[in-house]
Amino acid sequence: MATVTQYSAVGRRKTSTARIYLRPGSGSVLINRRPLDQYFPMEVRQRTLLAPFRVTDTLGSYDVVVNVHGGGLTGQAEAIRLGIARALQKAGEDFRKPLRDAGLLTRDPRMVERKKYGRPKARKRFQFSKR
């Protein structure tokens, strides 16, 4: 029986879905075949995405390949973060507690509320006129 050299997981946030493939390596991150700093030029999103590695002290010890689609950049970054946390949990069961304590294994359930008929937006109403 062969040993597992790749860990895969799925992360979601709003309408973004990210498929994560984690392999032991040098710490390179490829998102949709582009390097991390090219896909997410803002450092805030890069830090968000790499948070699971910082929490588990594994920064630079895994290569990450990501396929992500849907939503905006922040939703995609947070979907990738959840997927990386889930893949790390598969890689080592001792990573579960620090990831759980940092809140990185919890899926954010908030979604955009749908627009209702007869209204301009989901909750906004047209101006009320008494007369």
Side-chain angles (χ1 to χ4, degrees), residues 82-94:
L82 177 62
I84 289 173
R86 286 177 172 174
L88 275 172
Q89 180 186 347
K90 287 182 183 177
E93 196 57 41
D94 50 331

Side-chain angles (χ1 to χ4, degrees), residues 12-102:
R12 293 186 183 92
R13 170 77 172 95
K14 289 186 172 182
T15 55
S16 301
T17 303
R19 289 192 310 264
I20 310 294
Y21 303 98
L22 202 67
R23 302 176 185 123
S26 60
S28 71
V29 180
L30 280 178
I31 304 167
N32 292 348
R33 297 182 181 168
R34 287 160 59 191
L36 171 65
D37 55 343
Q38 203 178 59
Y39 196 86
F40 291 121
M42 287 183 67
E43 194 189 326
V44 175
R45 293 198 181 104
Q46 292 178 23
R47 249 184 293 141
T48 299
L49 187 143
L50 297 172
F53 292 122
R54 270 201 276 322
V55 168
T56 56
D57 293 322
T58 53
L59 197 60
S61 54
Y62 288 100
D63 289 341
V64 184
V65 178
V66 180
N67 293 322
V68 65
H69 67 274
L73 292 176
T74 301
Q76 287 187 353
E78 293 182 12
I80 293 169
R81 179 180 71 183
L82 177 62
I84 289 173
R86 286 177 172 174
L88 275 172
Q89 180 186 347
K90 287 182 183 177
E93 196 57 41
D94 50 331
F95 294 147
R96 181 176 168 78
K97 181 155 177 37
L99 289 169
R100 171 67 60 201
D101 291 344

